[in-house]
Amino acid sequence: MSQNSARLALRSRVPFVLVEAPAGCGKTHEAAATAVDLATELPDYQEVLLLAHTNAAVQEFRTRIRSRRARVRALTLDAFALELVSPYAKPLCLPTPLRVGEHEGTAFSILAPKLAELLRRSPSLSRALALHYPVIVLDEHQDARSDQHEAIINLASAGGVRLRIFGDPMQAIYEFGKVSPLDWSGIKAKADINDDLDEPRRWDHNRELGEWILEARRTLERGRPIPMRSAPQCVNLVQIQGLDDVPNPNSRGVVPAVVAPLCTILNSLQGSLVVLARSNAHVFGLRLATKGRLRINEGVDLEPAYNLLSEAETSVGNPLGLAKAVTELISKTSVGLTTKIRDDLSRSLFPDRIDFGRRKVVRPLLEYLAPFYDTPDVPTVCCVVRRIYQRPPDWLRIQLPESFHVLGQLSFPAGEDPKIELDRIVRYRKEAAFVPFRCASTIHKAKGREFDHVVIALCCRSPFPDTIEARRLLYVALSRARLSIHILVSARKPSPLVG
């Protein structure tokens, strides 16, 4: 079916339309245009609701509709569920106030089942929501969990809601194998109209690359390797003779043989760029190997900040405990804290005082930690962290600055739990979905983004085996590129997905 037929179906009165499209073929463009057009038909008291799995998808959607001023509300599925469930936390047997997070509080995976329970127990709420949101658009829906999908279907069935679903099953990479997968073929079977978008819009200025990425998608989907023989000149396979397999996803070590070819690529390319790896540890290692030339796309993984707050709350009144908590934050996010410096710290810090002695190297850090011996509380911890972030000692290089940054932003409103304020800051950062111009990133965190150039590092047998998950990850990585792709592949144990 043509693109025009999809547009007509999306804007029709048909209750349920599903559109499937590969990356770069206009899913988000069509979802945004559909939402804006349908919103113009609604009276003032109604809105179009756009829901997606990731903040990156929501932010991209908001960017596209900002100038249109349409009555369209865009949220993640989790944010929508949290908004509805929070006022009813107590009757739903959830803690109050309801804190949801990846590290502490209620798990995000609880929200959708609780939303389904709420809508089941309160049909009047379901009808009110269906009246307010007569059109629901689900973008990048292949990433949704089955319980999230069922909750939205129950809401839509409460009254004449038009449902518009966009997705690509080859990009379903989140929580792979951990939860009940979304039955995409079953959802398609229930749609009143199914349609496809297959025009590679992302590559209007590089049609060869766009056509090749679509070909790579087809071969990966059929269980074959990517077609390197038909690759255009902007797709480069770089064989690394000294690169063996990388079986340990938790290792930050990078084989020296990778560094020179990677730096040569970085020097030769202008424009936005991402170096992709499968694990967080590999990303961190690549950042170190390039001597900080790449910022890490951290997303909103701020576990060190939450850990520090937890340690600080249990160490209030204990200066030595607070100093150790800050030292642990430094060790998790920075380089330079050598064994000798640690030993000097342990010889200088006491429960009731600091012995500055003659230790010149460690003295700047001791001066930062000194306020704990006057006011050993959580606000002082954040003040100390902010000062270290602003002017670190000469020997300290902060590699992951975001935890320092968010802790320094805490303002401690009277009577409020600091973690609740940190939740608020993290939620804002998620919604902003900022990505550095030239960065190292996991494939998961780069999903939904575009870059001029993509470098897929460590394309070895263990990170990219011949599995469905690895095939999808490789396809998502390839489809982030607008202009060029470089694949660093092991000459000894290459990924079987590379032809």
Side-chain angles (χ1 to χ4, degrees):
M1 299 178 79
S2 70
Q3 193 171 48
N4 287 335
S5 71
R7 288 174 177 168
L8 289 172
L10 289 166
R11 288 155 180 78
S12 70
R13 303 298 303 181
V14 172
F16 184 3
V17 178
L18 183 144
V19 173
E20 186 174 310
C25 290
K27 283 192 306 295
T28 303
H29 173 82
E30 292 299 335
T34 298
V36 169
D37 288 349
L38 294 181
T40 61
E41 303 174 6
L42 303 179
D44 292 343
Y45 61 87
Q46 291 182 324
E47 292 179 292
V48 171
L49 178 64
L50 180 285
L51 298 173
H53 181 72
T54 65
N55 286 283
V58 169
Q59 185 63 21
E60 179 65 22
F61 187 88
R62 288 174 178 170
T63 299
R64 291 174 183 267
I65 67 171
R66 188 171 293 133
S67 62
R68 305 294 294 272
R69 302 187 180 218
R71 289 193 304 280
V72 180
R73 190 155 186 252
L75 296 165
T76 63
L77 285 157
D78 281 333
F80 181 64
L82 177 61
E83 179 181 276
L84 293 177
V85 166
S86 291
Y88 305 96
K90 189 172 182 179
L92 291 171
C93 300
L94 293 170
T96 54
L98 180 59
R99 285 191 61 237
V100 179
E102 298 171 359
H103 310 298
E104 293 188 9
T106 302
F108 282 106
S109 58
I110 298 295
L111 295 176
K114 288 297 182 182
L115 175 58
E117 179 185 345
L118 174 63
L119 297 177
R120 186 169 59 251
R121 292 170 59 178
S122 179
S124 59
L125 177 61
S126 300
R127 290 191 295 270
L129 289 168
L131 178 63
H132 186 74
Y133 299 116
V135 178
I136 299 178
V137 179
L138 302 177
D139 192 21
E140 297 288 353
H141 195 57
Q142 76 280 342
D143 294 321
R145 301 190 304 270
S146 58
D147 55 2
Q148 292 173 322
H149 176 76
E150 290 304 319
I152 299 305
I153 291 297
N154 292 341
L155 172 57
S157 63
V161 173
R162 283 185 279 177
L163 195 60
R164 304 294 183 255
I165 293 182
F166 296 81
D168 174 14
M170 272 296 287
Q171 294 187 71
I173 61 174
Y174 290 103
E175 302 186 68
F176 198 91
K178 297 180 183 178
V179 296
S180 176
L182 196 66
D183 180 10
W184 188 259
S185 59
I187 294 173
K188 286 183 68 173
K190 293 178 181 178
D192 297 299
I193 296 178
N194 288 299
D195 214 330
D196 299 301
L197 299 172
D198 55 10
E199 181 181 346
R201 301 170 59 96
R202 182 175 295 167
W203 301 279
D204 286 343
H205 302 292
N206 193 352
R207 301 291 294 184
E208 270 192 319
L209 178 59
E211 294 294 343
W212 181 81
I213 289 174
L214 289 182
E215 183 185 359
R217 180 186 186 274
R218 289 191 291 270
T219 60
L220 288 169
E221 191 174 27
R222 293 168 185 167
R224 300 199 299 270
I226 58 175
M228 289 305 304
R229 288 187 178 181
S230 63
Q233 289 185 349
C234 60
V235 178
N236 299 278
L237 191 68
V238 183
Q239 291 195 6
I240 311 295
Q241 295 299 325
L243 176 61
D244 210 333
D245 203 0
V246 251
N248 186 356
N250 299 314
S251 172
R252 294 182 176 183
V254 173
V255 177
V258 173
V259 179
L262 178 57
C263 288
T264 298
I265 293 170
L266 296 180
N267 291 335
S268 66
L269 299 175
Q270 301 294 321
S272 62
L273 177 146
V274 65
V275 178
L276 294 173
R278 182 157 181 180
S279 76
N280 284 311
H282 291 167
V283 169
F284 193 94
L286 290 166
R287 203 266 188 196
L288 293 179
T290 56
K291 300 186 184 303
R293 295 176 59 188
L294 297 166
R295 291 182 62 185
I296 290 181
N297 175 26
E298 295 176 274
V300 287
D301 186 8
L302 298 171
E303 184 175 4
Y306 281 99
N307 289 344
L308 176 60
L309 272 188
S310 295
E311 289 295 321
E313 288 177 335
T314 61
S315 299
V316 169
N318 177 4
L320 183 57
L322 295 176
K324 288 182 177 179
V326 172
T327 304
E328 184 64 19
L329 171 69
I330 292 172
S331 70
K332 295 291 186 184
T333 59
S334 312
V335 294
L337 192 64
T338 63
T339 302
K340 183 181 184 306
I341 291 176
R342 281 181 175 273
D343 290 342
D344 284 346
L345 281 173
S346 65
R347 286 192 290 265
S348 303
L349 296 169
F350 295 89
D352 59 343
R353 63 187 175 87
I354 293 180
D355 178 13
F356 287 95
R358 296 181 180 179
R359 300 182 180 94
K360 293 182 179 180
V361 173
V362 78
R363 187 179 183 89
L365 183 56
L366 293 175
E367 290 175 348
Y368 284 140
L369 300 176
F372 291 148
Y373 291 84
D374 294 322
T375 51
D377 56 20
V378 178
T380 305
V381 169
C382 293
C383 181
V384 168
V385 167
R386 183 167 59 248
R387 292 179 64 196
I388 294 173
Y389 173 60
Q390 291 170 344
R391 295 190 63 183
D394 293 339
W395 47 265
L396 182 66
R397 285 188 296 147
I398 299 174
Q399 302 284 359
L400 298 173
E402 299 303 337
S403 289
F404 287 83
H405 184 63
V406 296
L407 288 168
Q409 287 183 295
L410 295 183
S411 58
F412 299 94
E416 184 170 284
D417 184 342
K419 289 179 184 174
I420 293 178
E421 189 185 1
L422 182 57
D423 289 342
R424 190 159 49 242
I425 294 172
V426 169
R427 194 154 49 244
Y428 172 80
R429 290 176 62 82
K430 280 186 175 183
E431 292 175 357
F434 169 75
V435 176
F437 188 66
R438 292 170 76 88
C439 63
S441 175
T442 62
I443 297 170
H444 288 87
K445 289 177 182 175
K447 188 175 178 299
R449 299 299 184 182
E450 303 173 19
F451 299 85
D452 293 331
H453 310 287
V454 165
V455 180
I456 303 173
L458 310 177
C459 195
C460 307
R461 189 172 300 169
S462 292
F464 293 96
D466 190 0
T467 63
I468 295 174
E469 180 184 14
R471 289 176 174 280
R472 292 178 181 177
L473 284 167
L474 182 58
Y475 166 61
V476 169
L478 295 171
S479 59
R480 300 309 95 203
R482 286 189 293 254
L483 300 180
S484 77
I485 299 170
H486 290 75
I487 305 172
L488 306 187
V489 62
S490 167
R492 297 175 180 173
K493 295 182 180 178
S495 165
L497 306 183
V498 179

